[in-house]
Amino acid sequence: VQLVESGGGLVQAGGSLRLSCLASGGTFSTNTMGWFRQAPGREREFVAVIIMNLGTTDYADSVKGRFTISRDNAKNTVYLQMNSLKPEDTAIYSCVASKFYTLSARESQYEYWGPGNQVTVSS
């Protein structure tokens, strides 16, 4: 399975961005997809997850109410709509996938990782 992210960039605080992640090469292995992020000098952290066939979601407390994860099963693509962005949202955002049906926030639960996409929020 290959995951390719797009949609990152530079935005001012309070602005919005939408990340996309396209999965290819084995869609039977992407029952769950999600996002993690890593800011400079900090550990990687869970952001959001979605179970693809159910649409069930979960979010980190730090992004609840601001970020929305969604999916297009026909395109095997997951999206992360990020609104009301803050400078502390600046990070490399990585798409993840798992063959398991899970809402886990643990990195070890995800077998597939994208290369990452930079999001920078200026103050």
Side-chain angles (χ1 to χ4, degrees), residues 16-90:
S16 299
L17 282 174
R18 188 177 81 155
L19 302 179
S20 300
C21 175
L22 170 65
S24 61
T27 58
F28 56 88
S29 295
T30 55
N31 292 310
T32 299
M33 294 182 71
W35 297 90
F36 282 72
R37 68 185 182 184
Q38 186 167 23
R42 300 188 64 177
E43 292 187 353
R44 189 156 51 192
E45 63 177 358
F46 166 78
V47 177
V49 63
I50 187 166
I51 297 177
M52 298 295 279
N53 65 341
L54 299 176
T56 308
T57 61
D58 198 13
Y59 298 89
D61 288 342
S62 59
V63 306
K64 280 181 181 176
R66 300 188 298 122
F67 291 12
T68 302
I69 189 169
S70 61
R71 88 292 191 207
D72 184 332
N73 287 326
K75 297 180 179 179
N76 215 44
T77 298
V78 66
Y79 306 97
L80 186 67
Q81 178 66 43
M82 304 183 291
N83 299 328
S84 302
L85 282 160
K86 306 174 182 180
E88 51 264 43
D89 294 317
T90 295

